[in-house]
Amino acid sequence: MRLDELLSGLKYTCIRGSMNLEVTGVVYDSRKVKEGCLFLCIEGADFDGHSFAAEAVQKGAKVLVISKPVQLPEEKQITVVQVDNTRYTMAFISAAWFGHPAEKLKVIGVTGTKGKTTTTYLVKSILENAGYKVGLVGTIKVIIGDTQIHADNTTPESWLLQKYFAEMVKAGLDAVVMEVSSQALMLHRTQGFVFDYGIFTNLEPDHIGPNEHASFEEYLACKGLLFKQCRVGIVNGDDSHWQQVTDGHTCELETFGLGEHCMLRAEGLKLVHRPGELGVSFHVAGLTELDVEVQTPGKFSVYNALSAIAICRHFQVKNENIQRALLAAKVKGRIEMVKVSDRFTLLIDYAHNSMALKSLLTTLREYEPKRLVCLFGCGGNRSRQRRFEMGEVSGKLADLTIITSDNPRFEDPQAIIDDIKMGMAKTSGEYVEICDRKEAIGYAISHGQEGDIIVLAGKGHEDYQEIRGVKYPMDERVLIQELLEEGIEHI
């Protein structure tokens, strides 16, 4: 592809070489440089592509895109293009390289602190129930037809995202629903195209710290960028930040929620509690009218369902398709029910910080269990404050806490457990500590009582345990099945 075509519409300065040449590839990883390619010098948290500019030239790169000076061999014929921001530029170059595939899809982007993953899966379920072919990009995986790809980031780098879009077009998909993280918006990963629908679920303080966001204000502002890059914005009108998030929006706006001011509303909420199942039913009013039941508990499940309905009504999906899909939808590791007994309810959830754990346990408490049992651990090489806070939350809200290991990484698992116990000590909550996670799960099941709700928190969709830099296979669903096959007794 011609260099001037790749840069069409962008502001740049050619400071060396010629623009009149063909490019054989677009690369931002110096290890993947090939003869005749364009190499983008990207600045990351732990590396700077500008430092590899000379190496890229030696390997055969014919074009460099930079944002600051680089040292290059004089004897090499090389074109150097300078731009203000190479990440921003990469998004547009990547879109052009792959033939602007987003223009051939309906693109749905979901942002917010909580609910992104669940909402994307609900939307995919509803639209597919109505006959659409839908791709997905998110925290758990990327789904393109029958192909499933492990996800390293909630939202991939712009080059990879455009590659996925192109593969979806080739596979004959109609739409893609994707999670859009604040980091992705800040780092311009979603530039180069316009979302057809942008969704805001909620906002709470999170992802603030080194290599993330400097402040809550920056976090909020980054979320708001989505509504300057979509055609229709659909936002949680009950969230106290929705007006700030949409400040300066360039899209049409719709609201959903429980409040009467919301354009799409849930009314008459009723908790559903059957043996081994928790859910909620409600009536949808406003922009559309229908009765809905979801087999996940609490108000946040209602909000997730509302956001999915708000999106899918734009696709003229029939009510019966929405009702059927919402009733059947399951999301791995997000309030995922695992049937082991009719006497108590066991579920797996990704709640891995105090905010998420508090929300989860508060919701489960509404179902009036005989006991609320919470099993969790905390990750190593992460903030110790998170451990104190999670210990305190579980101590206050659970009747029994089972403290165990999560991803200890390079820390001693017992040291992490001791930190959690410091938070527990601020409460009167009862707890046991069992470092081995499988053994801890076995204890939870074997000691389950009539009417209990038992939640395995923290791992969710993860199917590994990271110890000393190595990821070992560990899926809680597999552990549960192994325990049952080994003949563990539960009351």
Side-chain angles (χ1 to χ4, degrees):
M1 190 170 184
R2 286 178 55 87
L3 177 58
D4 54 358
E5 292 175 348
L6 284 174
L7 291 163
S8 177
L10 292 169
K11 292 181 180 180
Y12 63 89
T13 303
C14 182
I15 60 175
R16 176 175 168 178
S18 169
M19 296 294 295
N20 185 25
L21 53 85
E22 290 284 329
V23 171
T24 62
V26 173
V27 179
Y28 63 96
D29 183 338
S30 61
R31 296 168 296 183
K32 298 179 180 179
V33 168
K34 60 182 180 180
E35 186 69 33
C37 76
L38 177 153
F39 178 65
L40 288 137
C41 297
I42 304 300
E43 292 186 67
D46 302 313
F47 70 92
D48 187 346
H50 292 83
S51 302
F52 299 95
E55 177 186 326
V57 172
Q58 293 292 350
K59 288 182 176 180
K62 293 301 181 186
V63 180
L64 294 181
V65 179
I66 64 171
S67 60
K68 61 186 181 182
V70 294
Q71 295 294 321
L72 298 174
E74 289 295 330
E75 69 278 7
K76 290 284 186 178
Q77 286 191 338
I78 183 76
T79 294
V80 181
V81 176
Q82 184 155 4
V83 297
D84 290 336
N85 187 305
T86 50
R87 280 191 177 276
Y88 179 85
T89 302
M90 179 168 73
F92 287 88
I93 288 177
S94 299
W97 176 255
F98 287 104
H100 300 284
E103 295 177 0
K104 305 174 183 73
L105 298 163
K106 287 291 185 182
V107 185
I108 304 159
V110 184
T111 198
T113 305
K114 297 182 295 187
K116 295 189 297 296
T117 299
T118 300
T119 298
T120 56
Y121 274 82
L122 291 178
V123 170
K124 187 175 190 294
S125 177
I126 293 170
L127 291 181
E128 288 183 337
N129 205 278
Y132 290 93
K133 296 178 181 179
V134 185
L136 184 143
V137 178
T139 301
I140 300 175
K141 64 183 72 170
V142 176
I143 303 175
I144 305 171
D146 295 328
T147 302
Q148 299 191 11
I149 305 164
H150 172 75
D152 292 319
N153 296 309
T154 298
T155 312
E157 286 287 2
S158 57
W159 185 93
L160 189 54
L161 181 61
Q162 292 293 337
K163 179 175 181 287
Y164 289 150
F165 285 170
E167 290 174 358
M168 290 177 187
V169 170
K170 186 177 180 180
L173 303 190
D174 306 305
V176 54
V177 57
M178 59 180 289
E179 297 182 49
V180 183
S181 69
S182 54
Q183 280 281 306
L185 289 162
M186 181 174 72
L187 296 174
H188 310 297
R189 292 176 185 167
T190 58
Q191 287 292 341
F193 65 97
V194 176
F195 289 92
D196 291 282
Y197 304 98
I199 293 80
F200 167 66
T201 60
N202 51 64
L203 193 71
E204 296 182 34
D206 198 14
H207 300 292
I208 298 167
N211 298 333
E212 293 190 280
H213 295 288
S215 64
F216 179 70
E217 289 72 24
E218 180 185 282
Y219 179 51
L220 185 153
C222 288
K223 292 291 188 190
L225 293 173
L226 179 60
F227 302 100
K228 298 173 184 176
Q229 197 191 331
C230 70
R231 295 183 174 91
V232 178
I234 300 171
V235 301
N236 178 354
D238 291 339
D239 189 274
S240 60
H241 301 99
W242 80 265
Q243 290 175 311
Q244 292 171 278
V245 167
T246 57
D247 185 40
H249 67 88
T250 58
C251 58
E252 298 176 28
L253 276 184
E254 296 178 5
T255 57
F256 66 89
L258 305 185
E260 292 186 3
H261 62 285
C262 295
M263 298 164 70
L264 187 75
R265 301 180 299 280
E267 302 173 342
L269 276 61
K270 296 179 182 177
L271 301 182
V272 176
H273 194 176
R274 305 184 187 98
E277 295 181 8
L278 303 173
V280 60
S281 64
F282 56 95
H283 177 72
V284 178
L287 292 173
T288 191
E289 299 273 342
L290 73 157
D291 293 314
V292 169
E293 180 179 328
V294 292
Q295 291 191 336
T296 49
K299 282 186 179 180
F300 52 77
S301 294
V302 176
Y303 280 109
N304 291 338
L306 275 177
S307 62
I309 294 167
I311 297 161
C312 292
R313 75 176 198 86
H314 284 276
F315 289 76
Q316 286 75 51
V317 178
K318 295 179 180 179
N319 285 355
E320 52 263 37
N321 293 121
I322 293 174
Q323 292 164 323
R324 184 164 55 243
L326 288 177
L327 192 59
K330 300 287 188 295
V331 183
K332 186 177 181 180
R334 300 307 197 270
I335 326 178
E336 179 186 354
M337 307 291 168
V338 182
K339 189 68 175 290
V340 298
S341 172
D342 285 335
R343 307 193 71 191
F344 58 83
T345 301
L346 177 69
L347 59 93
I348 295 172
D349 192 78
Y350 189 50
H352 60 290
N353 58 39
S354 60
M355 176 181 63
L357 190 63
K358 181 178 180 181
S359 176
L360 174 64
L361 296 181
T362 301
T363 292
L364 296 177
R365 181 61 73 185
E366 293 176 356
Y367 287 79
E368 300 181 350
K370 177 179 181 180
R371 294 186 310 162
L372 181 54
V373 180
C374 178
L375 179 151
F376 79 97
C378 287
N381 303 105
R382 298 293 187 269
S383 169
R384 292 181 69 200
Q385 187 63 31
R386 175 178 290 189
R387 305 167 193 175
F388 304 148
E389 292 173 351
M390 290 184 71
E392 186 173 356
V393 165
S394 189
K396 287 179 178 177
L397 297 177
D399 297 297
L400 174 65
T401 299
I402 303 172
I403 309 173
T404 187
S405 185
D406 194 300
N407 291 321
R409 297 186 176 89
F410 289 92
E411 285 196 67
D412 176 7
Q414 188 59 51
I416 299 172
I417 289 173
D418 290 342
D419 281 344
I420 294 171
K421 286 159 60 178
M422 289 178 67
M424 289 287 305
K426 296 181 179 180
T427 75
S428 57
E430 294 184 15
Y431 71 90
V432 295
E433 56 178 289
I434 304 173
C435 191
D436 182 270
R437 197 167 184 105
K438 181 177 179 179
E439 185 182 341
I441 293 171
Y443 179 91
I445 294 173
S446 64
H447 288 77
Q449 299 179 17
E450 181 84 35
D452 282 355
I453 295 178
I454 303 169
V455 57
L456 314 182
K459 296 296 292 178
H461 62 277
E462 292 181 352
D463 57 5
Y464 64 87
Q465 186 174 45
E466 186 175 346
I467 303 172
R468 299 287 170 187
V470 179
K471 290 185 176 180
Y472 296 92
M474 192 190 76
D475 187 319
E476 290 186 319
R477 298 147 205 79
V478 175
L479 297 183
I480 292 167
Q481 187 59 40
E482 288 176 353
L483 287 163
L484 296 178
E485 290 174 356
E486 291 164 8
I488 186 171
E489 295 181 1
H490 54 271
I491 301 172

